[in-house]
Amino acid sequence: MEDYRRFHAGLGLLYLLGGLILVEQASELILTLTPIHAEAAPWRFGAVGLTLGRTTAFLFADTLIGVAAFTRGDWRFVKVWGWLHLLLGVAVLAVLAGFALDVLTVRRAATGAQRRNVELTSLRAVLVGGAVAILALRAGLIMSRFGKRKTTEAGPQMVFDPAAAAGRGN
Amino acid sequence: MLSDAKSEGGKLLLGVALVVLIDQLCGLSSMLERWDGGSPSGLMALGTVWGDHLASLAILAVVAVAGLALTGRRFGPTGIGILAFGVLSLLTVVPMLEGYARILESTPILDLGRFQLGLGRQIASNVVFGAFLIVLWVGGRRALAGSRQ
């Protein structure tokens, strides 16, 4: 039983770590993006590029939280997290659609090497953003469905079996 | 149900690994786009740019191996990719040393100790991460083969 408590607490730390990374990355991003000029196409273009540039860190934080929730068997949280991912997926698609318009505006104003840079940044943003949107929608569907099924199910809620852990502990 | 959770969780981990890989490759390619390969500093920058992405690539490799283990899939192309990244990390030491040798011949360096310290740290980091990826490849191959039996 002691082993189980330690294991559970350890997984709780994963939530904390994931949350800290999310907050740290988000605050750094906000600092980089201020002052906000949402009405200007170049600012919006840069904002999308900068945000997608932090994809890896955001995804690792998301993975830590997801792994903790799945392993601890927090199915209600998994359900909510799934819905948030669905919303995120739709939001990323909407942002990418707006980004396409901004690319055309910014590209027209750019010249020579700048234009090539804009094209490369746009390609990267579309590739990474598209992949993030697909992953978020897929993760959202799986997690919300799984969380719903588990919370409505009767019986044990935990993936980790405390009895087995107590038997193994020495 | 437990196997269901493992399988679905494993698929999500594989998805995360794929998206991170796309992001990292895009980042590497945009860096290489501006790369001046002919100059000594360009040669050294190759190792530095690669090193900037190594930590993410190492975590990505661990996430991918965990995803494969949970879904019960074969190591296959993922394993080859991990091994290739590991070997490439070790190989980046060669152009870095080549660049360093050329700089020593051509340019007087004011603070040589500091310069060597920075270069040494980068080389050590690339070697350690390269070795880690190769060990992960060996361990992952064994672990996945064991879990499939």
Side-chain angles (χ1 to χ4, degrees):
Chain A
M1 209 55 194
E2 187 60 29
D3 273 1
Y4 170 67
R5 272 200 211 106
R6 278 191 199 150
F7 182 75
H8 214 65
L11 288 172
L13 286 178
L14 283 188
Y15 275 127
L16 188 67
L17 184 61
L20 273 176
I21 296 175
L22 278 184
V23 170
E24 192 256 350
Q25 288 294 319
S27 54
E28 253 187 58
L29 184 64
I30 290 167
L31 278 177
T32 323
L33 294 180
T34 44
I36 294 170
H37 293 292
E39 72 287 348
W43 183 88
R44 290 198 300 267
F45 179 83
V48 171
L50 284 172
T51 309
L52 288 175
R54 291 178 186 268
T55 300
T56 297
F58 279 127
L59 270 177
F60 284 149
D62 183 28
T63 305
L64 288 177
I65 294 172
V67 165
F70 258 83
T71 322
R72 278 169 65 117
D74 296 337
W75 302 119
R76 276 210 183 96
F77 180 81
V78 168
K79 200 168 120 182
V80 174
W81 202 237
W83 278 107
L84 283 176
H85 277 75
L86 282 176
L87 281 176
L88 176 76
V90 175
V92 171
L93 284 178
V95 166
L96 281 180
F99 180 71
L101 292 176
D102 291 336
V103 168
L104 294 177
T105 316
V106 174
R107 189 175 171 273
R108 213 173 62 173
T111 51
Q114 238 182 353
R115 181 172 277 205
R116 180 157 172 71
N117 209 12
V118 168
E119 285 165 358
L120 280 174
T121 310
S122 318
L123 185 69
R124 182 187 178 190
V126 169
L127 259 176
V128 176
V132 166
I134 292 170
L135 179 69
L137 289 172
R138 186 172 154 70
L141 280 177
I142 290 176
M143 286 195 283
S144 56
R145 205 187 304 148
F146 214 85
K148 191 177 169 188
R149 201 166 60 189
K150 282 284 190 179
T151 42
T152 50
E153 235 173 47
Q157 295 274 306
M158 280 171 290
V159 173
F160 185 73
D161 183 4
R168 272 201 306 273
N170 43 36
Chain B
M1 284 312 285
L2 180 59
S3 62
D4 230 20
K6 274 169 68 179
S7 164
E8 297 291 358
K11 280 181 200 164
L12 288 180
L13 287 184
L14 287 175
V16 168
L18 183 66
V19 177
V20 172
L21 180 66
I22 292 171
D23 184 39
Q24 292 301 313
L25 290 181
C26 282
L28 269 172
S29 64
S30 63
M31 291 277 197
L32 290 177
E33 174 76 16
R34 297 188 291 272
W35 181 53
D36 173 22
S39 69
S41 56
L43 282 171
M44 287 178 62
L46 186 68
T48 316
V49 167
W50 182 260
D52 287 345
H53 293 264
L54 259 179
S56 299
L57 287 172
I59 301 175
L60 144 75
V62 173
V63 170
V65 171
L68 288 176
L70 286 173
T71 49
R73 289 183 195 183
R74 287 175 51 195
F75 212 22
T78 313
I80 295 168
I82 290 171
L83 180 65
F85 277 133
V87 173
L88 276 174
S89 299
L90 295 180
L91 286 178
T92 54
V93 173
V94 179
M96 286 176 90
L97 290 177
E98 167 76 18
Y100 176 63
R102 279 207 227 163
I103 284 179
L104 277 185
E105 281 170 13
S106 60
T107 325
I109 301 169
L110 285 177
D111 194 350
L112 187 64
R114 199 186 165 102
F115 184 70
Q116 283 174 333
L117 206 67
L119 180 68
R121 189 207 63 80
Q122 191 61 62
I123 288 178
S125 158
N126 287 15
V127 169
V128 167
F129 273 113
F132 169 77
L133 287 170
I134 292 172
V135 168
L136 183 70
W137 174 71
V138 175
R141 227 175 77 154
R142 274 195 207 153
L144 289 179
S147 70
R148 285 172 62 83
Q149 276 169 8

